[in-house]
């Protein structure tokens, strides 16, 4: 179909969004934050967090590029800036540490006193943080076709569904997964995320400086 990416490309987008939202990595946090809640309350929190992820990604995909136009920011510049942010997230994940762009220590302490944590901080910014928003905006703007945008929206809903499933079984998984297991999985996803950041950065910098895309640009005597 004209204006669409390949099926493999959309699968790549879905996997990339799963990696950056990182529902597996949030399981220990979810278990700790909901330790004093009943099972029905945990179900409600999981559902609320997943709905927040869906709403955040959908709004970013549908309106993100328009917001950039309002502020006069080119998509190429946004790709470069977004890639740097994604790389910072990836570095934090490879160190098995929470990124400060997702939640500061002060916000973590404040979250402990909140009655409802589904929207903040679980949904935003721990799951659908700035990195996830930036990435979905970049992918949504790759094609101008309506069908492409709808497919990206479906990907966003799919990511939210996976997040909901992960949080629903978080208590059972968390009891069986040790800290080392979670850290290893987080580091692997961080490596994948770093590769994604490099790819987005390269695409953005070539758009900003087209000469860098020429194969002979670094050859002498040309």
């Amino acid at each position: 179909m004209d204006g669409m990416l390949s099926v493999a490309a959309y699968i790549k987008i879905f996997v990339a969004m799963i990696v950056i939202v990182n529902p597996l990595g949030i399981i220990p946090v979810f278990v700790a934050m909901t330790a004093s809640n009943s099972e029905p309350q945990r179900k409600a929190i999981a559902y609320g967090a997943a709905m927040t992820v869906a709403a955040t990604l959908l709004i970013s995909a549908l309106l993100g590029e328009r917001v950039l136009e309002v502020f006069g920011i080119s998509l190429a510049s946004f790709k470069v800036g977004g890639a740097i942010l994604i790389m910072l997230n990836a570095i934090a994940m490879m160190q098995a540490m929470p990124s400060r762009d997702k939640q500061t220590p002060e916000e973590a302490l404040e979250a402990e006193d909140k009655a409802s944590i589904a929207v903040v901080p679980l949904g935003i910014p721990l799951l659908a943080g700035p990195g996830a928003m930036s990435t979905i905006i970049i992918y949504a703007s790759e094609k101008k076709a309506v069908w492409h945008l709808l497919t990206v929206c479906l990907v966003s809903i799919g990511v939210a569904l996976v997040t909901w499933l992960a949080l629903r079984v978080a208590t059972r998984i968390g009891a069986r997964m040790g800290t080392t297991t979670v850290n290893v999985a987080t580091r692997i996803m961080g490596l994948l995320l770093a590769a994604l950041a490099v790819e987005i950065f390269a695409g953005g910098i070539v758009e900003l400086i087209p000469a860098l895309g020429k194969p002979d640009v670094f050859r002498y005597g040309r």
Side-chain angles (χ1 to χ4, degrees):
M1 187 180 295
D2 292 339
M4 295 282 287
L5 301 175
S6 65
V7 174
Y10 289 113
I11 293 175
K12 174 186 173 183
I13 293 174
F14 177 74
V15 172
M17 292 308 302
I18 291 293
V19 169
I20 195 169
V21 171
N22 191 18
L24 178 63
I26 208 67
I27 286 178
V29 178
F30 179 83
V31 171
M33 285 186 171
T34 60
S36 60
N37 294 101
S38 64
E39 183 61 23
Q41 288 174 329
R42 281 195 289 267
K43 288 181 180 179
I45 292 173
Y47 178 78
M51 289 298 293
T52 301
V53 170
T56 302
L57 295 183
L58 287 172
I59 292 173
S60 299
L62 294 171
L63 301 179
E65 192 172 2
R66 305 293 176 272
V67 173
L68 294 181
E69 292 174 355
V70 169
F71 287 97
I73 301 173
S74 70
L75 185 59
S77 298
F78 188 77
K79 284 182 179 180
V80 173
I84 294 173
L85 179 60
I86 294 169
M87 180 60 76
L88 292 175
N89 285 344
I91 293 172
M93 289 173 69
M94 285 188 284
Q95 295 174 338
M97 296 171 56
S99 175
R100 286 185 62 89
D101 79 283
K102 285 194 170 186
Q103 187 184 40
T104 63
E106 293 78 12
E107 291 170 338
L109 290 174
E110 183 181 354
E112 295 178 358
D113 298 327
K114 291 187 176 180
S116 176
I117 58 173
V119 177
V120 178
L122 282 178
I124 303 172
L126 289 180
L127 289 165
M133 296 182 207
S134 302
T135 305
I136 202 69
I137 291 172
I138 291 169
Y139 282 135
S141 61
E142 285 194 358
K143 296 286 184 179
K144 301 299 182 182
V146 174
W147 287 110
H148 168 73
L149 185 58
L150 289 176
T151 306
V152 172
C153 288
L154 288 176
V155 167
S156 301
I157 295 172
V159 171
L161 179 60
V162 171
T163 300
W164 175 74
L165 291 173
L167 295 182
R168 280 294 293 116
V169 299
T171 303
R172 281 172 286 177
I173 293 179
R176 297 180 181 179
M177 291 176 63
T179 302
T180 301
T181 303
V182 174
N183 287 346
V184 169
T186 299
R187 287 187 172 99
I188 292 173
M189 289 188 286
L191 182 59
L192 296 174
L193 195 59
L196 173 67
V198 171
E199 186 174 280
I200 294 176
F201 182 88
I205 203 70
V206 167
E207 290 181 30
L208 286 174
I209 312 174
L212 293 177
K214 296 179 181 179
D216 59 349
V217 66
F218 293 113
R219 295 180 184 176
Y220 294 102
R222 297 284 179 143

